[in-house]
């Protein structure tokens, strides 16, 4: 509930963010938004569904400010938010942080920014991080992190994950 679309929309309005927002000129859906810190400061851009899920509940993080800062770090570092959320979850499973600790998750992304040995491991993604930490429960298909679309509930997408050259790619097809 703390990271729902409704709560996010209310916070954007309160903070002086922007919603709806055109992601490109002429878009009729206008599902984009601008998330910012209180008072309209330091906008981070869109907190998309997949980003909120992967960096948030997937890691036990239920604070939109923490998710926003993780999203900002991903943007700055050029990291995919789904893959990063998967990697952070595996890092938490491997003992590098407690599930739900958004501040520590952000520090792990600082390791990537600083190109430390740990940062270099984390930057290689979920599958590599799991292997390095000895984690055996790894949410990947063909090395790519699972998005929020669970193939156990949506059988067609499971087939897509299995047959896509990229693995767990929710954009490859949705049956």
């Amino acid at each position: 509930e703390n990271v729902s679309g409704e709560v996010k929309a209310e916070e954007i309005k309160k903070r002086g963010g922007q919603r709806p927002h055109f992601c490109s000129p002429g878009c009729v859906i206008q599902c984009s938004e601008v998330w910012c810190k209180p008072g309209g400061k330091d906008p981070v851009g869109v907190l998309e569904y997949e980003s909120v899920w992967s960096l948030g509940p997937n890691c036990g993080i239920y604070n939109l400010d923490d998710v926003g800062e993780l999203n900002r770090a991903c943007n700055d570092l050029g990291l995919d938010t789904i893959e990063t959320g998967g990697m952070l979850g595996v890092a938490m499973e491997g003992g590098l942080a407690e599930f739900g600790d958004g501040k520590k998750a952000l520090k792990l992304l600082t390791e990537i920014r600083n190109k430390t040995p740990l940062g270099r491991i984390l930057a290689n993604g979920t599958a590599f991080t799991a292997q390095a930490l000895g984690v055996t429960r790894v949410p990947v298909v063909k090395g790519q992190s699972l998005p929020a679309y669970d193939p156990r509930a949506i059988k067609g997408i499971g087939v897509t994950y299995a047959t896509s050259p990229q693995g767990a790619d929710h954009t490859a097809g949705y049956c």
Side-chain angles (χ1 to χ4, degrees), residues 49-86:
Y49 165 77
E50 290 285 349
S51 302
V52 171
W53 166 80
S54 187
L55 299 169
N58 179 58
C59 296
I61 298 169
Y62 294 94
N63 179 302
L64 282 171
D65 286 318
D66 288 345
V67 172
E69 290 309 305
L70 289 165
N71 193 85
R72 178 190 316 279
C74 287
N75 291 346
D76 290 349
L77 293 165
L79 299 174
D80 178 79
T81 57
I82 297 171
E83 187 67 32
T84 301

Side-chain angles (χ1 to χ4, degrees), residues 20-53:
H21 177 259
F22 290 96
C23 61
S24 64
C27 174
V28 295
I29 305 296
Q30 298 181 45
C31 64
S32 188
E33 65 202 12
V34 176
W35 174 264
C36 57
K37 293 180 180 178
K41 296 178 183 169
D42 205 13
V44 68
V46 181
L47 292 184
E48 294 176 347
Y49 165 77
E50 290 285 349
S51 302
V52 171
W53 166 80

